[in-house]
Amino acid sequence: GPGGEGLLWSVERGLPVRSLAPIGGSLSLGAPGSDVEVVRAHPSARYAALANEQSLVLWDLAAATPARIFLTQSSSTSLGFSADGKLLAAGCADGRIEIWDIGSACRTCEFPKAHRGSVLALDFSWPSTCEESPLLFSGGGDGLVQLHHPMPQAEDATSQQGSAPLLQATNTCPPQPVVAGRFTPANLLLVAGVAAPAPPWQCAPAITGDVALGQQGDLGM
């Protein structure tokens, strides 16, 4: 909403029941005049993440107070929670992706140049016995779809930088922004939405080998 304010609405009553308003005009909570650009509900339904040009805040919906403040390096243009609610991914206007541990409000991993331009869509894969950690889908204004391991490179324990994408695909003639994407519940398919009629795609795995997500088969694009 305008002015950095978020509203929690009752669907049944058709009225707002909570105002998630910036406190004291603090930049860390969203300064007046900075509109809320992205909203994503936490899997528990107890919290919601709101982002504007200056801040990324996890709000406690019942108390209408900030539960966590994440000091991002760039304005957030897309958000995604892991299914267990422990991780928050923030895609940024400068093409970077940041992975945040919600319990500690600390950044655990980042992909500094994941996309050329804004990251427009993020989604975590569903829990699977085949993977110790979920995979992260990202889509951007550059027409790219990528899959990432949301973990730092193992060989450098001091670095938060993530490894190269597990999979990368692009639509062509010319590239159209990827504005949405979701894994199906069995992680067998990834559905991506673009801002134009269905364009052709070119898939180029960045790392050899299969990306196994579910017990019933491989990931389909």
Side-chain angles (χ1 to χ4, degrees), residues 113-187:
K113 297 180 180 179
H115 291 270
R116 299 182 299 275
S118 298
V119 182
L120 302 178
L122 293 170
D123 191 41
F124 282 94
S125 62
W126 295 88
S128 169
T129 57
C130 297
E131 289 286 330
E132 294 182 359
S133 63
L135 296 183
L136 177 68
F137 149 82
S138 68
D142 53 6
L144 288 178
V145 164
Q146 296 183 345
L147 290 184
H148 309 269
H149 263 308
M151 303 288 290
Q153 299 183 55
E155 59 268 21
D156 187 354
T158 63
S159 174
Q160 293 184 337
Q161 183 165 329
S163 56
L166 293 169
L167 181 72
Q168 180 170 285
T170 183
N171 61 76
T172 58
C173 300
Q176 299 296 323
V178 179
V179 296
R182 289 292 184 270
F183 288 95
T184 57
N187 291 325

Short mmCIF file of all heavy atoms in Angstrom, two decimals, residues 113-187:
data_model
loop_
_atom_site.label_atom_id
_atom_site.label_comp_id
_atom_site.label_asym_id
_atom_site.label_seq_id
_atom_site.Cartn_x
_atom_site.Cartn_y
_atom_site.Cartn_z
N LYS A 113 24.89 -11.96 -8.58
CA LYS A 113 24.50 -11.60 -9.95
C LYS A 113 23.70 -12.74 -10.57
O LYS A 113 24.00 -13.21 -11.67
CB LYS A 113 25.75 -11.30 -10.79
CG LYS A 113 26.55 -10.10 -10.28
CD LYS A 113 27.78 -9.86 -11.13
CE LYS A 113 28.57 -8.66 -10.62
NZ LYS A 113 29.79 -8.42 -11.44
N ALA A 114 22.66 -13.14 -9.88
CA ALA A 114 21.84 -14.25 -10.37
C ALA A 114 21.14 -13.89 -11.68
O ALA A 114 21.01 -14.73 -12.57
CB ALA A 114 20.82 -14.66 -9.32
N HIS A 115 20.70 -12.63 -11.79
CA HIS A 115 19.97 -12.18 -12.99
C HIS A 115 20.49 -10.82 -13.42
O HIS A 115 21.03 -10.05 -12.62
CB HIS A 115 18.47 -12.11 -12.72
CG HIS A 115 17.82 -13.44 -12.54
ND1 HIS A 115 17.29 -14.16 -13.58
CD2 HIS A 115 17.63 -14.19 -11.42
CE1 HIS A 115 16.80 -15.29 -13.13
NE2 HIS A 115 16.98 -15.34 -11.82
N ARG A 116 20.27 -10.53 -14.69
CA ARG A 116 20.57 -9.19 -15.22
C ARG A 116 19.30 -8.36 -15.09
O ARG A 116 18.38 -8.46 -15.90
CB ARG A 116 21.02 -9.28 -16.68
CG ARG A 116 22.27 -10.11 -16.90
CD ARG A 116 22.70 -10.11 -18.37
NE ARG A 116 21.67 -10.69 -19.22
CZ ARG A 116 21.55 -11.99 -19.45
NH1 ARG A 116 22.38 -12.85 -18.87
NH2 ARG A 116 20.60 -12.44 -20.26
N GLY A 117 19.24 -7.56 -14.06
CA GLY A 117 18.03 -6.81 -13.77
C GLY A 117 17.26 -7.45 -12.63
O GLY A 117 17.74 -8.36 -11.96
N SER A 118 16.04 -7.00 -12.42
CA SER A 118 15.26 -7.40 -11.25
C SER A 118 14.93 -8.89 -11.25
O SER A 118 14.65 -9.48 -12.29
CB SER A 118 13.96 -6.60 -11.19
OG SER A 118 14.21 -5.22 -11.05
N VAL A 119 14.95 -9.47 -10.04
CA VAL A 119 14.45 -10.82 -9.83
C VAL A 119 12.95 -10.70 -9.57
O VAL A 119 12.54 -10.07 -8.60
CB VAL A 119 15.16 -11.50 -8.64
CG1 VAL A 119 14.65 -12.92 -8.46
CG2 VAL A 119 16.67 -11.47 -8.83
N LEU A 120 12.14 -11.32 -10.42
CA LEU A 120 10.69 -11.10 -10.38
C LEU A 120 9.91 -12.24 -9.74
O LEU A 120 8.74 -12.05 -9.39
CB LEU A 120 10.16 -10.87 -11.80
CG LEU A 120 10.80 -9.70 -12.57
CD1 LEU A 120 10.21 -9.61 -13.97
CD2 LEU A 120 10.59 -8.40 -11.81
N ALA A 121 10.52 -13.41 -9.59
CA ALA A 121 9.78 -14.56 -9.05
C ALA A 121 10.73 -15.50 -8.32
O ALA A 121 11.86 -15.72 -8.77
CB ALA A 121 9.07 -15.31 -10.17
N LEU A 122 10.25 -16.05 -7.20
CA LEU A 122 11.02 -17.01 -6.39
C LEU A 122 10.08 -18.08 -5.86
O LEU A 122 8.91 -17.79 -5.56
CB LEU A 122 11.71 -16.33 -5.20
CG LEU A 122 12.82 -15.33 -5.49
CD1 LEU A 122 13.20 -14.59 -4.21
CD2 LEU A 122 14.05 -16.05 -6.06
N ASP A 123 10.58 -19.30 -5.73
CA ASP A 123 9.80 -20.36 -5.09
C ASP A 123 10.75 -21.46 -4.63
O ASP A 123 11.68 -21.82 -5.35
CB ASP A 123 8.75 -20.93 -6.04
CG ASP A 123 7.75 -21.83 -5.34
OD1 ASP A 123 7.34 -21.49 -4.21
OD2 ASP A 123 7.39 -22.88 -5.90
N PHE A 124 10.50 -21.98 -3.43
CA PHE A 124 11.24 -23.13 -2.92
C PHE A 124 10.53 -24.42 -3.31
O PHE A 124 9.30 -24.47 -3.37
CB PHE A 124 11.35 -23.08 -1.40
CG PHE A 124 12.38 -22.12 -0.88
CD1 PHE A 124 12.04 -20.82 -0.53
CD2 PHE A 124 13.70 -22.52 -0.72
CE1 PHE A 124 12.98 -19.94 -0.02
CE2 PHE A 124 14.65 -21.65 -0.22
CZ PHE A 124 14.30 -20.36 0.13
N SER A 125 11.32 -25.48 -3.55
CA SER A 125 10.73 -26.79 -3.79
C SER A 125 10.11 -27.33 -2.50
O SER A 125 10.41 -26.85 -1.40
CB SER A 125 11.79 -27.77 -4.31
OG SER A 125 12.82 -27.96 -3.35
N TRP A 126 9.24 -28.31 -2.65
CA TRP A 126 8.58 -28.93 -1.50
C TRP A 126 9.52 -29.91 -0.82
O TRP A 126 10.49 -30.38 -1.42
CB TRP A 126 7.31 -29.64 -1.97
CG TRP A 126 6.28 -28.71 -2.51
CD1 TRP A 126 6.15 -28.28 -3.79
CD2 TRP A 126 5.24 -28.06 -1.76
NE1 TRP A 126 5.11 -27.40 -3.91
CE2 TRP A 126 4.52 -27.25 -2.68
CE3 TRP A 126 4.85 -28.08 -0.42
CZ2 TRP A 126 3.44 -26.47 -2.29
CZ3 TRP A 126 3.76 -27.32 -0.04
CH2 TRP A 126 3.07 -26.52 -0.97
N PRO A 127 9.27 -30.25 0.45
CA PRO A 127 10.14 -31.22 1.15
C PRO A 127 10.22 -32.54 0.39
O PRO A 127 9.23 -33.01 -0.18
CB PRO A 127 9.45 -31.39 2.51
CG PRO A 127 8.65 -30.14 2.70
CD PRO A 127 8.20 -29.73 1.32
N SER A 128 11.41 -33.13 0.39
CA SER A 128 11.63 -34.39 -0.32
C SER A 128 12.68 -35.19 0.41
O SER A 128 13.64 -34.64 0.97
CB SER A 128 12.07 -34.12 -1.76
OG SER A 128 12.54 -35.30 -2.38
N THR A 129 12.54 -36.50 0.40
CA THR A 129 13.54 -37.39 1.01
C THR A 129 14.81 -37.46 0.17
O THR A 129 15.84 -37.93 0.65
CB THR A 129 12.97 -38.80 1.17
OG1 THR A 129 12.55 -39.29 -0.12
CG2 THR A 129 11.78 -38.80 2.12
N CYS A 130 14.75 -36.97 -1.07
CA CYS A 130 15.91 -37.05 -1.96
C CYS A 130 16.87 -35.89 -1.77
O CYS A 130 17.99 -35.92 -2.26
CB CYS A 130 15.45 -37.10 -3.41
SG CYS A 130 14.48 -38.55 -3.81
N GLU A 131 16.43 -34.82 -1.11
CA GLU A 131 17.26 -33.64 -0.98
C GLU A 131 17.36 -33.24 0.49
O GLU A 131 16.37 -33.20 1.21
CB GLU A 131 16.66 -32.46 -1.76
CG GLU A 131 16.78 -32.61 -3.27
CD GLU A 131 18.19 -32.38 -3.78
OE1 GLU A 131 18.93 -31.59 -3.15
OE2 GLU A 131 18.56 -33.02 -4.76
N GLU A 132 18.60 -32.96 0.96
CA GLU A 132 18.79 -32.50 2.33
C GLU A 132 18.23 -31.09 2.51
O GLU A 132 17.79 -30.74 3.60
CB GLU A 132 20.28 -32.55 2.69
CG GLU A 132 20.85 -33.96 2.74
CD GLU A 132 22.30 -33.96 3.15
OE1 GLU A 132 22.84 -32.85 3.37
OE2 GLU A 132 22.89 -35.03 3.25
N SER A 133 18.31 -30.29 1.49
CA SER A 133 17.77 -28.93 1.55
C SER A 133 16.93 -28.69 0.31
O SER A 133 17.11 -29.36 -0.72
CB SER A 133 18.91 -27.90 1.62
OG SER A 133 19.70 -27.96 0.45
N PRO A 134 15.98 -27.74 0.37
CA PRO A 134 15.16 -27.48 -0.82
C PRO A 134 15.96 -26.81 -1.92
O PRO A 134 17.06 -26.29 -1.69
CB PRO A 134 14.08 -26.55 -0.27
CG PRO A 134 14.75 -25.84 0.87
CD PRO A 134 15.66 -26.86 1.49
N LEU A 135 15.42 -26.83 -3.11
CA LEU A 135 15.97 -26.05 -4.21
C LEU A 135 15.16 -24.77 -4.35
O LEU A 135 14.00 -24.70 -3.94
CB LEU A 135 15.94 -26.85 -5.51
CG LEU A 135 16.79 -28.10 -5.57
CD1 LEU A 135 16.71 -28.73 -6.96
CD2 LEU A 135 18.24 -27.81 -5.21
N LEU A 136 15.80 -23.77 -4.94
CA LEU A 136 15.16 -22.47 -5.11
C LEU A 136 15.05 -22.14 -6.59
O LEU A 136 16.05 -22.16 -7.31
CB LEU A 136 15.97 -21.38 -4.40
CG LEU A 136 15.46 -19.95 -4.55
CD1 LEU A 136 14.13 -19.78 -3.82
CD2 LEU A 136 16.49 -18.95 -4.03
N PHE A 137 13.84 -21.86 -7.04
CA PHE A 137 13.60 -21.36 -8.39
C PHE A 137 13.69 -19.84 -8.38
O PHE A 137 13.24 -19.18 -7.44
CB PHE A 137 12.21 -21.78 -8.86
CG PHE A 137 11.57 -20.79 -9.81
CD1 PHE A 137 11.89 -20.81 -11.15
CD2 PHE A 137 10.67 -19.85 -9.35
CE1 PHE A 137 11.31 -19.90 -12.03
CE2 PHE A 137 10.07 -18.93 -10.21
CZ PHE A 137 10.40 -18.96 -11.56
N SER A 138 14.27 -19.28 -9.43
CA SER A 138 14.24 -17.83 -9.61
C SER A 138 13.95 -17.51 -11.07
O SER A 138 14.37 -18.22 -11.98
CB SER A 138 15.56 -17.18 -9.19
OG SER A 138 16.62 -17.55 -10.06
N GLY A 139 13.18 -16.44 -11.28
CA GLY A 139 12.90 -15.94 -12.62
C GLY A 139 13.12 -14.44 -12.64
O GLY A 139 12.87 -13.75 -11.64
N GLY A 140 13.58 -13.92 -13.77
CA GLY A 140 13.92 -12.50 -13.81
C GLY A 140 13.46 -11.79 -15.05
O GLY A 140 12.93 -12.38 -16.00
N GLY A 141 13.68 -10.48 -15.04
CA GLY A 141 13.36 -9.65 -16.18
C GLY A 141 14.22 -9.95 -17.39
O GLY A 141 13.91 -9.51 -18.50
N ASP A 142 15.31 -10.73 -17.20
CA ASP A 142 16.18 -11.11 -18.30
C ASP A 142 15.69 -12.34 -19.04
O ASP A 142 16.35 -12.81 -19.97
CB ASP A 142 17.60 -11.35 -17.78
CG ASP A 142 17.66 -12.33 -16.61
OD1 ASP A 142 16.61 -12.91 -16.27
OD2 ASP A 142 18.75 -12.50 -16.03
N GLY A 143 14.54 -12.90 -18.63
CA GLY A 143 14.00 -14.08 -19.30
C GLY A 143 14.57 -15.39 -18.83
O GLY A 143 14.26 -16.44 -19.39
N LEU A 144 15.40 -15.37 -17.79
CA LEU A 144 16.04 -16.59 -17.31
C LEU A 144 15.21 -17.27 -16.23
O LEU A 144 14.61 -16.61 -15.38
CB LEU A 144 17.42 -16.28 -16.73
CG LEU A 144 18.54 -15.93 -17.71
CD1 LEU A 144 19.82 -15.62 -16.94
CD2 LEU A 144 18.79 -17.08 -18.68
N VAL A 145 15.21 -18.59 -16.25
CA VAL A 145 14.73 -19.44 -15.16
C VAL A 145 15.94 -20.19 -14.64
O VAL A 145 16.70 -20.78 -15.41
CB VAL A 145 13.66 -20.44 -15.66
CG1 VAL A 145 13.45 -21.56 -14.65
CG2 VAL A 145 12.34 -19.72 -15.89
N GLN A 146 16.12 -20.18 -13.32
CA GLN A 146 17.27 -20.85 -12.72
C GLN A 146 16.83 -21.68 -11.52
O GLN A 146 15.83 -21.38 -10.86
CB GLN A 146 18.32 -19.84 -12.27
CG GLN A 146 18.95 -19.04 -13.40
CD GLN A 146 20.02 -18.09 -12.91
OE1 GLN A 146 20.15 -17.81 -11.73
NE2 GLN A 146 20.81 -17.57 -13.84
N LEU A 147 17.61 -22.74 -11.23
CA LEU A 147 17.47 -23.51 -10.00
C LEU A 147 18.76 -23.40 -9.22
O LEU A 147 19.85 -23.56 -9.77
CB LEU A 147 17.17 -24.98 -10.30
CG LEU A 147 15.80 -25.32 -10.89
CD1 LEU A 147 15.68 -26.84 -11.03
CD2 LEU A 147 14.68 -24.79 -10.01
N HIS A 148 18.63 -23.13 -7.92
CA HIS A 148 19.79 -22.93 -7.06
C HIS A 148 19.71 -23.84 -5.83
O HIS A 148 18.61 -24.15 -5.35
CB HIS A 148 19.85 -21.49 -6.54
CG HIS A 148 19.74 -20.44 -7.60
ND1 HIS A 148 20.83 -19.90 -8.23
CD2 HIS A 148 18.65 -19.81 -8.12
CE1 HIS A 148 20.41 -18.99 -9.11
NE2 HIS A 148 19.10 -18.92 -9.06
N HIS A 149 20.87 -24.21 -5.31
CA HIS A 149 20.95 -24.73 -3.96
C HIS A 149 21.09 -23.51 -3.04
O HIS A 149 22.08 -22.78 -3.15
CB HIS A 149 22.16 -25.65 -3.78
CG HIS A 149 21.83 -27.10 -3.92
ND1 HIS A 149 20.82 -27.70 -3.21
CD2 HIS A 149 22.38 -28.06 -4.69
CE1 HIS A 149 20.75 -28.98 -3.54
NE2 HIS A 149 21.68 -29.22 -4.44
N PRO A 150 20.16 -23.27 -2.12
CA PRO A 150 20.24 -22.06 -1.27
C PRO A 150 21.22 -22.22 -0.12
O PRO A 150 20.92 -21.95 1.03
CB PRO A 150 18.80 -21.91 -0.77
CG PRO A 150 18.29 -23.30 -0.70
CD PRO A 150 18.93 -24.04 -1.85
N MET A 151 22.43 -22.66 -0.46
CA MET A 151 23.48 -22.89 0.54
C MET A 151 24.78 -22.29 0.03
O MET A 151 25.03 -22.27 -1.19
CB MET A 151 23.67 -24.38 0.79
CG MET A 151 22.40 -25.11 1.24
SD MET A 151 21.93 -24.71 2.92
CE MET A 151 23.25 -25.50 3.83
N PRO A 152 25.66 -21.78 0.93
CA PRO A 152 26.96 -21.28 0.48
C PRO A 152 27.80 -22.39 -0.11
O PRO A 152 27.57 -23.58 0.14
CB PRO A 152 27.59 -20.73 1.77
CG PRO A 152 26.48 -20.59 2.73
CD PRO A 152 25.48 -21.64 2.37
N GLN A 153 28.80 -22.02 -0.93
CA GLN A 153 29.73 -22.99 -1.47
C GLN A 153 30.47 -23.67 -0.33
O GLN A 153 31.05 -23.02 0.52
CB GLN A 153 30.72 -22.31 -2.41
CG GLN A 153 30.05 -21.65 -3.62
CD GLN A 153 31.05 -21.06 -4.57
OE1 GLN A 153 31.96 -21.74 -5.04
NE2 GLN A 153 30.89 -19.77 -4.87
N ALA A 154 30.47 -24.99 -0.33
CA ALA A 154 31.02 -25.76 0.79
C ALA A 154 32.52 -25.56 0.97
O ALA A 154 33.03 -25.63 2.08
CB ALA A 154 30.72 -27.25 0.59
N GLU A 155 33.23 -25.27 -0.14
CA GLU A 155 34.68 -25.19 -0.03
C GLU A 155 35.16 -23.94 0.69
O GLU A 155 36.32 -23.84 1.05
CB GLU A 155 35.32 -25.27 -1.42
CG GLU A 155 34.89 -24.17 -2.37
CD GLU A 155 33.70 -24.59 -3.21
OE1 GLU A 155 32.99 -25.51 -2.79
OE2 GLU A 155 33.48 -23.98 -4.28
N ASP A 156 34.31 -22.95 0.87
CA ASP A 156 34.71 -21.72 1.55
C ASP A 156 33.72 -21.44 2.67
O ASP A 156 32.66 -20.86 2.46
CB ASP A 156 34.75 -20.55 0.56
CG ASP A 156 35.32 -19.27 1.18
OD1 ASP A 156 35.58 -19.28 2.41
OD2 ASP A 156 35.48 -18.29 0.45
N ALA A 157 34.08 -21.85 3.88
CA ALA A 157 33.17 -21.73 5.02
C ALA A 157 32.92 -20.29 5.43
O ALA A 157 31.95 -20.00 6.12
CB ALA A 157 33.72 -22.52 6.21
N THR A 158 33.80 -19.36 5.02
CA THR A 158 33.65 -17.96 5.43
C THR A 158 32.82 -17.15 4.43
O THR A 158 32.45 -16.03 4.72
CB THR A 158 35.03 -17.30 5.57
OG1 THR A 158 35.69 -17.30 4.28
CG2 THR A 158 35.89 -18.06 6.57
N SER A 159 32.55 -17.72 3.27
CA SER A 159 31.83 -17.00 2.23
C SER A 159 30.35 -17.34 2.27
O SER A 159 29.96 -18.47 2.52
CB SER A 159 32.39 -17.33 0.85
OG SER A 159 31.62 -16.72 -0.16
N GLN A 160 29.52 -16.34 2.00
CA GLN A 160 28.08 -16.55 1.89
C GLN A 160 27.64 -16.72 0.43
O GLN A 160 26.46 -16.94 0.17
CB GLN A 160 27.32 -15.38 2.50
CG GLN A 160 27.46 -15.25 4.01
CD GLN A 160 26.60 -14.13 4.56
OE1 GLN A 160 26.24 -13.19 3.85
NE2 GLN A 160 26.28 -14.21 5.83
N GLN A 161 28.58 -16.64 -0.50
CA GLN A 161 28.22 -16.68 -1.90
C GLN A 161 27.81 -18.09 -2.31
O GLN A 161 28.49 -19.07 -2.02
CB GLN A 161 29.36 -16.21 -2.78
CG GLN A 161 29.01 -16.15 -4.27
CD GLN A 161 30.01 -15.35 -5.06
OE1 GLN A 161 30.61 -14.41 -4.56
NE2 GLN A 161 30.20 -15.72 -6.31
N GLY A 162 26.67 -18.19 -2.99
CA GLY A 162 26.17 -19.47 -3.44
C GLY A 162 26.90 -19.96 -4.68
O GLY A 162 27.63 -19.23 -5.34
N SER A 163 26.69 -21.22 -5.00
CA SER A 163 27.35 -21.84 -6.14
C SER A 163 26.60 -21.51 -7.43
O SER A 163 25.54 -20.88 -7.42
CB SER A 163 27.44 -23.35 -5.94
OG SER A 163 26.16 -23.89 -5.71
N ALA A 164 27.14 -21.97 -8.55
CA ALA A 164 26.51 -21.73 -9.85
C ALA A 164 25.16 -22.43 -9.91
O ALA A 164 24.91 -23.40 -9.19
CB ALA A 164 27.43 -22.25 -10.96
N PRO A 165 24.25 -21.96 -10.77
CA PRO A 165 22.92 -22.59 -10.85
C PRO A 165 23.01 -24.06 -11.23
O PRO A 165 23.86 -24.46 -12.02
CB PRO A 165 22.22 -21.78 -11.94
CG PRO A 165 22.97 -20.51 -12.04
CD PRO A 165 24.38 -20.81 -11.68
N LEU A 166 22.12 -24.87 -10.67
CA LEU A 166 22.02 -26.27 -11.06
C LEU A 166 21.43 -26.40 -12.46
O LEU A 166 21.74 -27.33 -13.20
CB LEU A 166 21.14 -27.02 -10.06
CG LEU A 166 21.69 -27.19 -8.65
CD1 LEU A 166 20.60 -27.71 -7.73
CD2 LEU A 166 22.88 -28.13 -8.65
N LEU A 167 20.54 -25.48 -12.80
CA LEU A 167 19.87 -25.51 -14.09
C LEU A 167 19.55 -24.09 -14.51
O LEU A 167 19.20 -23.25 -13.68
CB LEU A 167 18.57 -26.32 -14.00
CG LEU A 167 17.76 -26.47 -15.29
CD1 LEU A 167 18.47 -27.43 -16.25
CD2 LEU A 167 16.36 -26.99 -15.00
N GLN A 168 19.70 -23.84 -15.81
CA GLN A 168 19.38 -22.51 -16.32
C GLN A 168 18.67 -22.65 -17.66
O GLN A 168 19.09 -23.43 -18.52
CB GLN A 168 20.65 -21.68 -16.49
CG GLN A 168 20.42 -20.28 -17.03
CD GLN A 168 21.68 -19.43 -16.94
OE1 GLN A 168 22.06 -18.98 -15.86
NE2 GLN A 168 22.32 -19.23 -18.06
N ALA A 169 17.58 -21.93 -17.82
CA ALA A 169 16.83 -21.95 -19.08
C ALA A 169 16.43 -20.53 -19.41
O ALA A 169 16.24 -19.69 -18.52
CB ALA A 169 15.60 -22.84 -18.97
N THR A 170 16.28 -20.26 -20.71
CA THR A 170 15.86 -18.92 -21.13
C THR A 170 14.86 -19.03 -22.26
O THR A 170 14.91 -19.96 -23.07
CB THR A 170 17.07 -18.08 -21.59
OG1 THR A 170 16.63 -16.77 -21.93
CG2 THR A 170 17.76 -18.70 -22.80
N ASN A 171 13.91 -18.08 -22.29
CA ASN A 171 13.02 -17.99 -23.44
C ASN A 171 13.63 -17.00 -24.43
O ASN A 171 14.43 -16.15 -24.06
CB ASN A 171 11.61 -17.59 -23.03
CG ASN A 171 11.55 -16.24 -22.35
OD1 ASN A 171 11.65 -15.20 -22.99
ND2 ASN A 171 11.38 -16.23 -21.03
N THR A 172 13.26 -17.11 -25.69
CA THR A 172 13.98 -16.38 -26.74
C THR A 172 13.02 -15.59 -27.64
O THR A 172 11.81 -15.71 -27.57
CB THR A 172 14.77 -17.38 -27.62
OG1 THR A 172 13.88 -18.33 -28.17
CG2 THR A 172 15.82 -18.10 -26.78
N CYS A 173 13.66 -14.76 -28.48
CA CYS A 173 13.00 -14.05 -29.62
C CYS A 173 11.92 -13.04 -29.25
O CYS A 173 10.80 -13.14 -29.74
CB CYS A 173 12.44 -15.06 -30.60
SG CYS A 173 13.68 -16.16 -31.29
N PRO A 174 12.23 -11.97 -28.55
CA PRO A 174 13.36 -11.78 -27.65
C PRO A 174 13.00 -12.32 -26.27
O PRO A 174 11.85 -12.69 -26.03
CB PRO A 174 13.50 -10.24 -27.63
CG PRO A 174 12.07 -9.79 -27.76
CD PRO A 174 11.39 -10.78 -28.68
N PRO A 175 13.94 -12.34 -25.31
CA PRO A 175 13.61 -12.83 -23.97
C PRO A 175 12.49 -12.02 -23.32
O PRO A 175 12.49 -10.80 -23.37
CB PRO A 175 14.93 -12.66 -23.20
CG PRO A 175 15.99 -12.68 -24.26
CD PRO A 175 15.37 -12.01 -25.45
N GLN A 176 11.53 -12.74 -22.72
CA GLN A 176 10.42 -12.10 -22.03
C GLN A 176 10.57 -12.29 -20.52
O GLN A 176 11.01 -13.34 -20.07
CB GLN A 176 9.09 -12.71 -22.49
CG GLN A 176 8.81 -12.54 -23.97
CD GLN A 176 8.65 -11.08 -24.37
OE1 GLN A 176 8.09 -10.28 -23.61
NE2 GLN A 176 9.14 -10.72 -25.54
N PRO A 177 10.22 -11.28 -19.72
CA PRO A 177 10.37 -11.40 -18.27
C PRO A 177 9.61 -12.60 -17.72
O PRO A 177 8.48 -12.88 -18.11
CB PRO A 177 9.77 -10.09 -17.75
CG PRO A 177 9.88 -9.14 -18.88
CD PRO A 177 9.71 -9.95 -20.12
N VAL A 178 10.26 -13.32 -16.81
CA VAL A 178 9.63 -14.43 -16.10
C VAL A 178 9.03 -13.85 -14.82
O VAL A 178 9.77 -13.45 -13.91
CB VAL A 178 10.63 -15.54 -15.78
CG1 VAL A 178 9.96 -16.68 -15.02
CG2 VAL A 178 11.26 -16.08 -17.08
N VAL A 179 7.72 -13.78 -14.74
CA VAL A 179 7.06 -13.02 -13.68
C VAL A 179 6.47 -13.91 -12.58
O VAL A 179 6.02 -13.40 -11.54
CB VAL A 179 5.94 -12.14 -14.25
CG1 VAL A 179 6.54 -11.09 -15.19
CG2 VAL A 179 4.90 -12.96 -14.99
N ALA A 180 6.47 -15.24 -12.78
CA ALA A 180 5.92 -16.12 -11.76
C ALA A 180 6.47 -17.53 -11.97
O ALA A 180 6.92 -17.87 -13.07
CB ALA A 180 4.39 -16.15 -11.82
N GLY A 181 6.42 -18.33 -10.92
CA GLY A 181 6.85 -19.72 -11.02
C GLY A 181 6.53 -20.48 -9.76
O GLY A 181 6.64 -19.93 -8.66
N ARG A 182 6.11 -21.74 -9.91
CA ARG A 182 5.80 -22.59 -8.77
C ARG A 182 6.16 -24.04 -9.07
O ARG A 182 5.99 -24.51 -10.19
CB ARG A 182 4.30 -22.52 -8.43
CG ARG A 182 3.82 -21.22 -7.83
CD ARG A 182 4.39 -20.99 -6.42
NE ARG A 182 3.86 -19.78 -5.82
CZ ARG A 182 4.41 -18.58 -5.95
NH1 ARG A 182 5.50 -18.43 -6.68
NH2 ARG A 182 3.87 -17.53 -5.36
N PHE A 183 6.66 -24.72 -8.03
CA PHE A 183 6.84 -26.16 -8.11
C PHE A 183 5.49 -26.86 -7.88
O PHE A 183 4.70 -26.42 -7.03
CB PHE A 183 7.82 -26.65 -7.04
CG PHE A 183 9.25 -26.29 -7.31
CD1 PHE A 183 9.80 -25.15 -6.75
CD2 PHE A 183 10.05 -27.10 -8.09
CE1 PHE A 183 11.13 -24.81 -6.97
CE2 PHE A 183 11.38 -26.77 -8.32
CZ PHE A 183 11.92 -25.62 -7.76
N THR A 184 5.23 -27.93 -8.60
CA THR A 184 4.10 -28.77 -8.26
C THR A 184 4.43 -29.53 -6.98
O THR A 184 5.60 -29.72 -6.65
CB THR A 184 3.79 -29.75 -9.39
OG1 THR A 184 4.95 -30.54 -9.67
CG2 THR A 184 3.36 -29.01 -10.65
N PRO A 185 3.42 -29.99 -6.21
CA PRO A 185 3.67 -30.57 -4.88
C PRO A 185 4.65 -31.74 -4.87
O PRO A 185 5.38 -31.92 -3.90
CB PRO A 185 2.28 -31.00 -4.42
CG PRO A 185 1.37 -30.02 -5.07
CD PRO A 185 1.97 -29.77 -6.43
N ALA A 186 4.69 -32.57 -5.91
CA ALA A 186 5.63 -33.69 -5.95
C ALA A 186 7.00 -33.28 -6.51
O ALA A 186 7.88 -34.13 -6.65
CB ALA A 186 5.05 -34.83 -6.78
N ASN A 187 7.17 -32.00 -6.81
CA ASN A 187 8.43 -31.48 -7.37
C ASN A 187 8.77 -32.10 -8.72
O ASN A 187 9.95 -32.13 -9.11
CB ASN A 187 9.60 -31.70 -6.40
CG ASN A 187 9.48 -30.85 -5.15
OD1 ASN A 187 8.99 -29.72 -5.22
ND2 ASN A 187 9.89 -31.39 -4.02
#
